[in-house]
Amino acid sequence: DAGVIQSPRHEVTEMGQEVTLRCKPISGHDYLFWYRQTMMRGLELLIYFNNNVPIDDSGMPEDRFSAKMPNASFSTLKIQPSEPRDSAVYFCASSSDSGPRNEQFFGPGTRLTVL
Amino acid sequence: SQKIEQNSEALNIQEGKTATLTCNYTNYSPAYLQWYRQDPGRGPVFLLLIRENEKEKRKERLKVTFDTTLKQSLFHITASQPADSATYLCALETAGGFKTIFGAGTRLFVKA
């Protein structure tokens, strides 16, 4: 398996633009997580899905952020409109309920810069 | 408020020595505690998990302890090597869910 795949790896955009980050989890994993990492706040959980259903989105900073999981092999995190304070590395991770308890497999991350 | 605290200062040790990293938490009752390794420009990689009813867990050169009374976990790397240089994150998960809360991490440098 190729592991968790994220795209793009780097994104530079201007304030006010829409940004869409993409994630393909490991095949067979039924949990998917979106995290944001900054120097100031560390690694923060934004939202997680179980079997494509959002379970906890309490970490989503505000209405500008939305996440979807239309099927078991694809998820998106959208920011509209983007702001400079959204600049961070965004990680997607997946895990399986049948594997070691919540061992999460992280993707390489998307480094987002909002100018 | 709920907090997870890891040493914010980097830990510098000599090759061959044992590195000990600390994770303290307040206002949590975690069912599980995990340790991850993160290299620059990469996502975290899972290392070890310890349950609330376990005192100690070992994996090769790694050892984790979990003291629910002190609300503390210690992470040890014995016979450390320069390749162990990375940031180490502790993470807590409460029972009944998959929501995981991460500490800020401690940067470890192992000198040859």
Side-chain angles (χ1 to χ4, degrees):
Chain A
D1 201 319
V4 175
I5 298 172
Q6 291 188 248
S7 65
R9 292 295 311 276
H10 301 273
E11 177 81 31
V12 180
T13 190
E14 292 190 346
M15 184 173 63
Q17 296 298 306
E18 177 180 295
V19 174
T20 299
L21 311 181
R22 296 172 177 80
C23 174
K24 177 177 169 34
I26 292 173
S27 176
H29 281 189
D30 42 13
Y31 284 84
L32 184 138
F33 307 81
W34 281 101
Y35 290 90
R36 176 172 68 176
Q37 188 172 41
T38 62
M39 289 292 291
M40 291 295 292
R41 300 174 69 91
L43 192 63
E44 303 174 278
L45 177 65
L46 301 177
I47 184 171
Y48 79 93
F49 296 81
N50 177 218
N51 293 322
N52 314 337
V53 177
I55 302 301
D56 188 330
D57 65 354
S58 60
M60 296 285 262
E62 47 197 277
D63 292 345
R64 298 185 298 107
F65 286 70
S66 62
K68 293 182 180 178
M69 192 164 186
N71 57 62
S73 59
F74 183 66
S75 177
T76 59
L77 178 68
K78 187 176 290 187
I79 308 172
Q80 165 65 7
S82 58
E83 297 182 3
R85 60 189 166 125
D86 302 330
S87 298
V89 180
Y90 289 81
F91 288 104
C92 175
S94 69
S95 68
S96 169
D97 206 4
S98 60
R101 177 70 186 182
N102 201 17
E103 174 183 350
Q104 295 185 33
F105 295 81
F106 282 76
T110 295
R111 181 172 294 278
L112 173 65
T113 302
V114 183
L115 303 174
Chain B
S1 63
Q2 295 175 319
K3 275 188 185 178
I4 303 173
E5 292 183 341
Q6 295 187 253
N7 287 352
S8 57
E9 292 185 12
L11 180 62
N12 291 280
I13 65 166
Q14 200 66 36
E15 182 177 12
K17 301 292 186 185
T18 296
T20 298
L21 286 68
T22 304
C23 176
N24 295 298
Y25 60 92
T26 55
N27 296 324
Y28 278 111
S29 295
Y32 310 91
L33 190 144
Q34 304 166 43
W35 284 88
Y36 285 76
R37 169 185 172 139
Q38 187 174 23
D39 291 285
R42 295 179 176 268
V45 175
F46 174 85
L47 295 174
L48 278 172
L49 176 148
I50 187 165
R51 292 173 172 76
E52 61 178 337
N53 60 352
E54 297 176 318
K55 296 294 184 186
E56 183 180 296
K57 201 80 164 282
R58 291 175 184 261
K59 180 182 176 182
E60 298 172 352
R61 295 185 295 112
L62 308 180
K63 185 178 86 170
V64 172
T65 63
F66 192 11
D67 189 326
T68 55
T69 301
L70 290 178
K71 295 186 182 297
Q72 180 181 78
S73 174
L74 299 178
F75 177 78
H76 306 272
I77 305 174
T78 58
S80 59
Q81 305 165 0
D84 295 326
S85 298
T87 297
Y88 291 86
L89 308 169
C90 76
L92 306 181
E93 181 196 335
T94 54
F98 268 67
K99 185 170 183 174
T100 305
I101 310 299
F102 282 81
T106 298
R107 189 82 171 92
L108 172 67
F109 293 96
V110 181
K111 299 178 188 176

